[in-house]
Amino acid sequence: MTAFALRRPEPRIIPRAPRHDVDVAAEIAGPTILPFSSRVKNISTSGMLLLDSGQLQVGDVVYAKLPGRAPVLCVVARLRPGGGAGIKFETSVQLDDCWG
């Protein structure tokens, strides 16, 4: 009888995009939530951290409207205890000088 060892594939480590501290308002809306506004604590090319999670749930698909930008399609990646939500942009967002 031959024993085979099953090996798990090595996890891919994807570098985290640098975060930039900001203090701007974002308008959040989606098909399953009432529109609301939240301050943004930090932002990167891949997502942002909202200070207020409103009625968001992990997995919700939303649009985020940031000052001077077209709405961005996003997914709620995580909720923070005591409020706040990690939002992942569906496509990378170019940050200019005013964002960090």
Side-chain angles (χ1 to χ4, degrees), residues 21-81:
D21 291 334
V22 294
D23 184 22
V24 297
E27 298 294 324
I28 308 298
T32 61
I33 63 157
L34 292 173
F36 72 99
S37 179
S38 174
R39 300 305 293 176
V40 178
K41 180 175 180 173
N42 65 48
I43 192 167
S44 73
T45 58
S46 61
M48 65 184 167
L49 179 61
L50 301 178
L51 291 176
D52 179 11
S53 61
Q55 299 297 313
L56 295 175
Q57 299 295 317
V58 171
D60 282 348
V61 175
V62 297
Y63 279 98
K65 176 74 172 88
L66 295 163
R69 303 277 179 141
V72 179
L73 183 63
C74 311
V75 173
V76 179
R78 65 187 51 88
L79 298 176
R80 296 182 71 166

